[in-house]
Amino acid sequence: MSTLPRRFPDRDEIAAVRTEAEALEPGAEVGHKRRLAGRVLGRRGHGKLVFLDLVDRSGQIQLLCSADRVGRVDLDLGDIVGVTGTPTRTKRGEPSLAVDEVQLLAKTKRPLPDTFHGLVDAETRYRKRYLDLLVSEDTRRDFLVRTGLVTAIRRYLDDHGFVEVETPILQPRYGGALAEPFVTHSNELDTDLYLRIADELYLKRLIVGGLEKVYEIGKDFRNESVSYKHQPEFTMLEWYEAYADYEDTMGRVEELVAKVAREAIGTTQVSFRGHEVDLELPWRRVKLIDALEAEGVWTRDADELRLRLAERDVDTGRDETWGQLVDHALSHLVEPRLIEPTILYDYPVELSPLARRKEGEEGVVERFEYFVCGMELGNAYSELNDADEQAARFAEVGGDDPDYVDALSYGMPPTGGLGLGIDRLAMVLTGRETIRDVILFPALRPTE
C-alpha cells in the first residue's frame, strides 16, 4: 500500500516563481517560501549540490538541492515531486528555487523517452500522447494554443449576443452535409441512429424557435477518408444568425479569425505549409465562376468540363454529375492557389442544397468557403428558409428530412450560417501540417 502523500496543497505555478526569480540580481535570494510541484525532467551535478529541472503546465524552473539543506536527493527522471524553498537567481543568472524540502509524490516505474530529442517516431507520439506532452514543450504549447483559440471563439460570440447550445450527437436522420455517417443501434428505442455529420439542421430549428443567434462547438463524425486535414472524429464550430446574410457572415468570420489569432498566439501573422500569411482583415474575395474561368475550365456543359479537366490531367472517373466535376475542378485547380486568406463565393446551386438562391443570377446561391494556404477552413451561406423549395432540393439530391422541412414551414427569418473547422484553424495557428498534430488522441489504425 502506498505511503506517498495524497495531496500537495497551496502550490504556486512554476511560471510565477520563475518570473519572481528573474527579477532578482544574480546571486540574490528572497526570504519567503514558495511551494512547487511537478515532474523532474532533468538532473545535473552530484555530491553536495544537485540541480534538477522541474516542469509543470506553466513552465520549467531549476531546483538547487544542496545536501546541507535537503540531504541526499534520491530521485529519478520522471518522478513527480513537491518542493518547498526560496526563489533565487544563481550567479550565472539562472532563475531557480533553493530547495529546503523535497516530497516524492509519485514514482515513475518506467524510463522516460529522451527529453532532449523528444519522441521522434510519429506513431508513438500519437498513440502515447501523454509521453509526447511530457517531453515536448512544443507539443504542450500547441495544445494550449488550441485551448486558447476555443476560449477566444466563445468570448467573441458571447460578446456579440450569441447563445451557446447543445444539439443531438445521435440523430435519427443525418444531414447538413454530404458525407457517409457512422451508424449504431438503440436497443431501447429499437431503431438505428447516426452519429451526426453536422450540427446544422438542429441549430436552424432553434432559429425557427426564436433564439436568433446560436452557436455550438462540438464533435462531428464522418465515416470517410483520413488525410492530413481529415479525421473521422473532428471538432466544428457552427453559428446561425437571424436577420443576417452571407455578406454579414463574411465580415464576421474575418473579424473572428483575426481576433482569435491575436488572443491565442499574439499576432495575425502565421507560418503554415511553407507560406507566411497575415490573417488580418480584410480578406481577398473571389467569385467561384471567376476562379474557374481563370483556370480555363468554367462551363455549364458536363461533357466539355470533363474534357477540359482531362486536358489538365485531372482524373474524373468517379465524377458522375456536373456538380461533382465542378467540385473536383475546385479542389484540384483553384483551392491550392488560395494562399492568402481568401473567401470564394457565389456557388452553383447544384453544390449547395441548403443555401438561398442569389437574386438576379440564375443557378447561383449565396454561399462561400474560406481558405488559408490552400486549405479550406469552413463553409457558410445565406440559409434557404423556404420550406417548399427546401423539400424540392432534398428530393433533387436524394435526401429527405420531413421534420426539418416541417420546422421551416413555421417560418424561419433570413439567416446567415457558418461552419468553422476548429482542428484546421489550430493547424494554421500552430503551423502544424497534419491534423493529427492538433488532436490530442487522433484516430489510428489498430496495432497487432
Side-chain angles (χ1 to χ4, degrees):
M1 184 174 180
S2 174
T3 59
L4 296 175
R6 296 172 57 190
R7 59 197 295 264
F8 189 81
D10 304 322
R11 70 183 182 96
D12 302 292
E13 283 198 337
I14 283 176
V17 175
R18 184 180 179 92
T19 298
E20 187 177 8
E22 286 174 339
L24 299 174
E25 294 293 328
E29 182 175 333
V30 301
H32 53 260
K33 302 290 186 180
R34 295 295 186 210
R35 288 165 60 82
L36 301 177
R39 192 179 292 268
V40 176
L41 291 184
R43 177 171 178 148
R44 299 170 299 283
H46 56 277
K48 292 186 176 182
L49 184 59
V50 174
F51 301 88
L52 303 176
D53 293 330
L54 188 70
V55 175
D56 71 4
R57 189 180 69 184
S58 71
Q60 175 177 309
I61 196 168
Q62 177 175 266
L63 303 181
L64 305 181
C65 300
S66 168
D68 296 337
R69 296 172 74 155
V70 298
R72 183 170 177 268
V73 177
D74 186 16
L75 295 171
D76 296 314
L77 294 184
D79 287 348
I80 298 174
V81 300
V83 297
T84 303
T86 52
T88 185
R89 194 173 181 191
T90 67
K91 292 181 179 179
R92 293 186 176 183
E94 179 66 23
S96 306
L97 187 80
V99 177
D100 296 310
E101 181 183 2
V102 178
Q103 287 182 277
L104 179 64
L105 303 178
K107 186 70 180 174
T108 183
K109 301 295 180 65
R110 303 185 66 178
L112 293 182
D114 183 342
T115 56
F116 180 78
H117 295 97
L119 287 173
V120 177
D121 179 66
E123 282 292 304
T124 303
R125 289 179 54 231
Y126 303 137
R127 293 187 188 279
K128 297 187 176 183
R129 182 69 82 187
Y130 50 93
L131 292 181
D132 186 26
L133 290 165
L134 278 180
V135 301
S136 172
E137 186 177 348
D138 288 344
T139 299
R140 293 195 297 274
R141 180 208 65 206
D142 288 347
F143 284 104
L144 291 176
V145 166
R146 180 184 172 118
T147 295
L149 77 87
V150 172
T151 299
I153 286 171
R154 281 196 167 98
R155 183 181 298 116
Y156 174 89
L157 292 173
D158 292 346
D159 288 347
H160 285 80
F162 284 79
V163 177
E164 184 173 10
V165 297
E166 295 176 304
T167 62
I169 292 176
L170 286 174
Q171 301 180 349
R173 289 184 178 85
Y174 61 94
L178 299 176
E180 183 72 20
F182 288 93
V183 61
T184 186
H185 186 80
S186 169
N187 294 332
E188 180 66 26
L189 300 177
D190 191 25
T191 187
D192 285 345
L193 295 171
Y194 304 90
L195 292 179
R196 69 183 177 198
I197 61 174
D199 308 11
E200 178 171 350
L201 299 183
Y202 281 91
L203 288 172
K204 288 195 286 191
R205 286 169 168 89
L206 301 180
I207 297 295
V208 172
L211 293 188
E212 295 186 352
K213 299 169 81 170
V214 296
Y215 76 94
E216 183 170 16
I217 299 174
K219 294 287 189 179
D220 290 338
F221 307 85
R222 297 182 185 179
N223 195 2
E224 298 182 338
S225 63
V226 175
S227 73
Y228 80 94
K229 61 181 179 179
H230 294 103
Q231 277 274 294
E233 175 182 351
F234 57 98
T235 304
M236 286 289 293
L237 160 70
E238 288 197 35
W239 83 58
Y240 293 86
E241 180 177 7
Y243 312 108
D245 68 1
Y246 77 144
E247 291 188 354
D248 299 311
T249 308
M250 289 181 196
R252 191 177 290 288
V253 74
E254 289 176 328
E255 185 178 76
L256 172 89
V257 171
K259 181 177 177 61
V260 166
R262 287 192 293 269
E263 291 194 22
I265 62 173
T267 179
T268 58
Q269 297 180 353
V270 297
S271 177
F272 181 58
R273 301 185 73 194
H275 303 284
E276 303 289 332
V277 299
D278 194 337
L279 302 175
E280 190 58 79
L281 50 89
W283 292 0
R284 178 173 172 245
R285 300 188 183 187
V286 180
K287 276 192 172 184
L288 178 145
I289 292 176
D290 292 342
L292 290 174
E293 284 184 339
E295 294 296 328
V297 295
W298 171 250
T299 174
R300 275 280 181 182
D301 183 275
D303 292 335
E304 177 64 21
L305 178 54
R306 191 182 299 275
L307 179 63
R308 293 183 188 184
L309 290 176
E311 292 174 348
R312 301 289 295 273
D313 296 323
V314 178
D315 181 3
T316 62
R318 295 184 179 181
D319 300 323
E320 298 179 359
T321 66
W322 177 83
Q324 290 172 337
L325 289 167
V326 170
D327 195 47
H328 209 154
L330 288 172
S331 62
H332 276 69
L333 303 178
V334 175
E335 292 179 12
R337 301 184 187 277
L338 305 180
I339 304 304
E340 293 297 323
T342 302
I343 289 172
L344 192 67
Y345 67 99
D346 287 359
Y347 276 55
V349 66
E350 291 87 345
L351 299 182
S352 314
L354 296 166
R356 184 174 184 140
R357 292 183 185 272
K358 186 168 185 177
E359 294 183 9
E361 294 196 32
E362 182 68 26
V364 174
V365 294
E366 295 185 348
R367 174 187 174 188
F368 72 88
E369 294 180 300
Y370 47 107
F371 301 82
V372 173
C373 297
M375 184 174 72
E376 178 203 341
L377 291 185
N379 180 40
Y381 28 84
S382 301
E383 304 298 332
L384 176 58
N385 61 346
D386 182 287
D388 294 336
E389 185 177 354
Q390 183 62 82
R393 296 264 200 99
F394 278 148
E396 288 174 7
V397 299
D400 182 34
D401 192 333
D403 182 72
Y404 175 67
V405 173
D406 184 56
L408 285 186
S409 70
Y410 287 92
M412 185 175 81
T415 298
L418 176 136
L420 167 63
I422 297 294
D423 310 305
R424 293 188 184 182
L425 182 58
M427 289 171 64
V428 171
L429 296 189
T430 60
R432 298 302 178 187
E433 297 193 13
T434 171
I435 196 170
R436 296 191 298 176
D437 280 339
V438 297
I439 295 176
L440 280 168
F441 299 102
L444 301 168
R445 293 187 184 278
T447 58
E448 294 182 4

